[in-house]
Amino acid sequence: MGEHLDAEVIVVGGGPAGAATAWALAREGVDVLVLDRAKFPRDKICAEYLSPQASRVLSDMRVLDEIEATNPAHLAGMRIRAPNGHVANGEFAANHGFHGFRDKGLAIQRTILDEIVLRGARTAGARVEESMRVTDLARNGSARVSGVTVLGADGLRRTLRARYVVGADGLRSVVGRRLGLVRTSRIWPRRIALVAHYRKVKGVTDMGEMHVDYDGYFGIVDVGDGKMNVAVVVPMSRAKEIGDDKAEFLERWIGSRPHLAERFVGAERITPVRATGPFAAATRRAWSPGAALVGDAADFFDPFTGEGIYAALRGGELLAPYLVEALGRPGKDEGRILSGYDRARKREFGGKWKLERIVGMAIAYPYFLNNAAKVLSQRKDMADLLVGVAGDFIPTSVVLSPRFLFNLFISPAFRN
Ligand SMILES: Cc1cc2nc3c(=O)[nH]c(=O)nc-3n(C[C@H](O)[C@H](O)[C@H](O)COP(=O)(O)OP(=O)(O)OC[C@H]3O[C@@H](n4cnc5c(N)ncnc54)[C@H](O)[C@@H]3O)c2cc1C
């Protein structure tokens, strides 16, 4: 080899996926360099809720205590309101015999969370360079990825070399696009999200709330420090209508729904309204010679079911051992080793991917969601199971059984 390397592994992106990957690699003694275009603390458009199992990974990374010390909110479960007004409440701590790492999920501002998690990677030995935008991949004579081209804050472009490049650069990943691995589908929802922080919204409890309507859905959650994260997600086709005045659109959405409007009397919006979308993208495989993808760069479907932070953290944990193995066998068996990463992802997330698509369909066709909400409002046991699956501590097979799906979506039609 003999060529100068800037690191054994370069991780592009220092969000939860990049930080978890870098942490796990650094702990194994790998020389890892994280590059992020942002300067931390940086924000990320998100509803800022974490499943109970995310705390398990954060605990392993030794950052959970520091996160808890910032006074985040703790969520007991989720409340879902269907377009027909039926309300279902599902709680993490329930009588189904399954237990999460914690009984509650965290809700915390991303500016706080992501900085602490990235610091965890640094403490484990990863080097982190901020304000470094990766613009392209470098390749050696073969098609193999051998590094990245990066534009620094000084305006200079440089090439940095590594044995592996990890794309943890989120939605619209540069690494994923340059590798040609990202795919979208015409039948997947194309949606846009508007997100802001408020204070003094009435009636916000320790249940995260999702209000589904015929033209989109709305979420509200306490994120600690007296702040509430408020988000609305609508079809991309409404982007023109939203135009430049995102705040006006969000406030009109709230104002035109009496069950929300009354709760926002006297509330204060304390941040600008920010927008992102569309989201849904996946990869055929999450690696290529010399490179791998993790977190949103590898797949993201929709914020409704998007336990994306957990998937990003867990994805980093899954990927690291395969990279360590590949680093230990230079030039040998790379395809076999990294295919193992694809299989591990499928084992870990495959059920969730199926469930996400089923829920995505139910939102797109509210007839099904109305039916499901009616059942769940009367069957708390089923609501608890669904919320436990969303919380990543109940196997998806429990709710993907034909019987559960029949009871949820089909049987109400016969009872009507
Ligand atoms: C509207 C919305 C609401 C959501 N709500 C939730 C929720 O409540 N709970 C939940 O768990 N998930 C939620 N998600 C999903 C969650 O935000 C993501 O899944 C999660 O942030 C993925 O982490 P990541 O590390 O892969 O990517 P990110 O957190 O996006 O981090 C990517 C990092 O890469 C950096 N980067 C990007 N491009 C480059 C480049 N070219 N060069 C260098 N650095 C680069 C960025 O600066 C960033 O720091 C939501 C998503 C959306 C869109």
Side-chain angles (χ1 to χ4, degrees):
M1 301 204 80
E3 177 194 18
H4 165 77
L5 293 178
D6 296 279
E8 282 179 287
V9 178
I10 288 177
V11 176
V12 184
T21 310
W23 176 85
L25 289 172
R27 246 184 27 138
E28 294 299 319
V30 176
D31 173 29
V32 52
L33 172 63
V34 180
L35 303 172
D36 201 296
R37 66 181 176 197
K39 176 124 192 62
F40 285 69
R42 66 101 179 85
D43 208 354
K44 153 81 177 80
I45 300 181
C46 184
E48 303 180 314
Y49 140 76
L50 279 77
S51 70
Q53 280 322 83
S55 293
R56 200 274 301 149
V57 187
L58 297 171
S59 168
D60 284 2
M61 289 179 73
R62 317 252 186 287
V63 292
L64 186 58
D65 290 345
E66 193 180 346
I67 290 167
E68 291 287 4
T70 67
N71 277 327
H74 295 92
L75 295 185
M78 296 298 294
R79 171 170 300 155
I80 298 180
R81 183 184 192 278
N84 61 3
H86 278 290
V87 175
N89 291 299
E91 288 175 272
F92 299 124
N95 283 332
H96 41 45
F98 295 96
H99 298 281
F101 177 78
R102 291 276 158 94
D103 277 351
K104 295 197 170 183
L106 288 169
I108 175 171
Q109 294 171 74
R110 293 291 299 267
T111 41
I112 302 172
L113 174 76
D114 289 28
E115 189 180 29
I116 296 176
V117 176
L118 185 55
R119 196 156 51 235
R122 265 196 176 112
T123 306
R127 288 179 286 144
V128 179
E129 290 190 28
E130 300 174 34
S131 307
M132 295 285 259
R133 176 187 296 272
V134 169
T135 56
D136 208 345
L137 294 174
R139 297 179 192 263
N140 60 17
S142 63
R144 186 184 173 76
V145 174
S146 60
V148 294
T149 310
V150 43
L151 183 64
D154 52 9
L156 295 180
R157 215 174 273 279
R158 285 187 290 150
T159 298
L160 299 177
R161 302 272 171 199
R163 304 249 318 269
Y164 278 94
V165 171
V166 173
D169 46 344
L171 290 173
R172 292 172 282 281
S173 155
V174 168
V175 179
R177 275 183 285 143
R178 294 287 189 272
L179 292 173
L181 293 177
V182 180
R183 74 191 163 92
T184 54
S185 157
R186 265 191 283 170
I187 61 163
W188 289 348
R190 284 175 60 79
R191 295 188 177 124
I192 184 170
L194 305 180
V195 183
H197 285 142
Y198 279 73
R199 280 192 196 279
K200 299 183 189 159
V201 182
K202 293 190 194 85
V204 177
T205 67
D206 63 355
M207 298 287 278
E209 295 177 46
M210 284 291 202
H211 301 250
V212 187
D213 230 313
Y214 291 102
D215 53 350
Y217 61 87
F218 176 93
I220 180 162
V221 64
D222 176 6
V223 290
D225 196 23
K227 297 178 183 171
M228 286 113 196
N229 179 304
V230 169
V232 66
V233 180
V234 293
M236 200 63 202
S237 55
R238 298 188 71 183
K240 234 194 196 144
E241 186 192 331
I242 294 168
D244 290 334
D245 200 347
K246 303 179 196 79
E248 199 270 332
F249 184 90
L250 177 61
E251 278 155 20
R252 191 153 35 92
W253 174 283
I254 295 166
S256 60
R257 286 154 175 90
H259 65 280
L260 295 175
E262 62 186 10
R263 295 174 58 189
F264 278 78
V265 175
E268 288 165 27
R269 183 167 53 78
I270 53 173
T271 63
V273 179
R274 301 199 304 146
T276 184
F279 328 105
T283 41
R284 259 170 293 125
R285 60 189 169 100
W287 66 276
S288 197
L293 300 174
V294 65
D296 280 5
D299 73 278
F300 185 68
F301 190 63
D302 192 80
F304 194 88
T305 40
E307 314 297 321
I309 301 171
Y310 173 74
L313 294 168
R314 180 77 187 114
E317 275 188 337
L318 286 180
L319 171 58
Y322 293 98
L323 288 180
V324 171
E325 190 182 348
L327 286 166
R329 298 177 62 79
K332 288 193 196 117
D333 291 339
E334 183 183 43
R336 179 188 60 76
I337 295 168
L338 293 184
S339 304
Y341 170 52
D342 270 338
R343 283 195 297 278
R345 276 171 42 80
K346 202 164 174 197
R347 268 196 308 277
E348 182 79 23
F349 303 127
K352 218 50 190 296
W353 293 335
K354 272 189 207 144
L355 184 66
E356 282 174 357
R357 278 145 187 77
I358 291 171
V359 174
M361 290 293 282
I363 295 170
Y365 298 97
Y367 168 80
F368 292 103
L369 192 80
N370 282 336
N371 277 351
K374 196 170 169 191
V375 172
L376 294 174
S377 65
Q378 293 156 3
R379 292 278 314 265
K380 181 149 185 311
D381 58 324
M382 289 177 72
D384 290 339
L385 283 173
L386 268 173
V387 163
V389 169
D392 297 306
F393 63 91
I394 297 184
T396 41
S397 53
V398 172
V399 300
L400 288 178
S401 71
R403 187 191 158 105
F404 192 97
L405 292 174
F406 179 85
N407 284 339
L408 191 57
F409 292 117
I410 311 293
S411 69
F414 295 117
R415 277 192 247 133
N416 285 340

